[in-house]
Amino acid sequence: MKNLLLFAFGFCTLCWSCGQSIAPEEVAAQTAKTYYDFLIQGKFEQFVDGRYRADSIPSSYREQLIANAKMFMDEQEKAHKGLKQVQVQRVESDTVQHVANVFLIFTYGDSTREEVLVPMIEHDGVWYTR
């Protein structure tokens, strides 16, 4: 969770120092991509920490989520020679409700591609998966 908050803070600081305003939907999209990049890198704990309210779930359930993430990546390895890359396709957001739907493109080791919907929610300035 600490790494996630540092990432969000660093990203916002970078945007502020460049003098550019980044649209909330762009932040949501890049955050979703980062969570799935964590998954590809085998950083399953950080991937799970990207879930909304991850800090309030029981530790046994958190461990199950981490195990599920590992199993998912094992299944992708067997089925498609692994998940190799994640790209943002598009994002649809509702800034009033602080939610966004991020559409990612997964590219697998066997060259197949798949569009995946990742619902996101903003809480206290940080975007999480729902």
Side-chain angles (χ1 to χ4, degrees), residues 1-55:
M1 188 65 146
K2 182 179 176 183
N3 290 339
L4 179 64
L5 293 175
L6 288 174
F7 164 77
F9 177 73
F11 186 75
C12 292
T13 302
L14 175 66
C15 295
W16 179 77
S17 67
C18 292
Q20 297 181 4
S21 176
I22 303 296
E25 59 267 13
E26 182 61 26
V27 177
Q30 290 305 312
T31 303
K33 180 187 180 319
T34 298
Y35 293 147
Y36 279 88
D37 285 341
F38 285 152
L39 189 63
I40 290 171
Q41 297 165 11
K43 297 179 179 179
F44 305 113
E45 295 83 5
Q46 287 91 335
F47 175 75
V48 170
D49 287 343
R51 293 177 55 97
Y52 181 57
R53 303 283 182 165
D55 57 344

Side-chain angles (χ1 to χ4, degrees), residues 71-83 108:
M71 284 189 288
F72 171 77
M73 291 304 285
D74 288 343
E75 289 171 4
Q76 298 314 305
E77 186 64 40
K78 292 174 187 166
H80 298 288
K81 298 182 184 175
L83 176 58
Y108 297 97

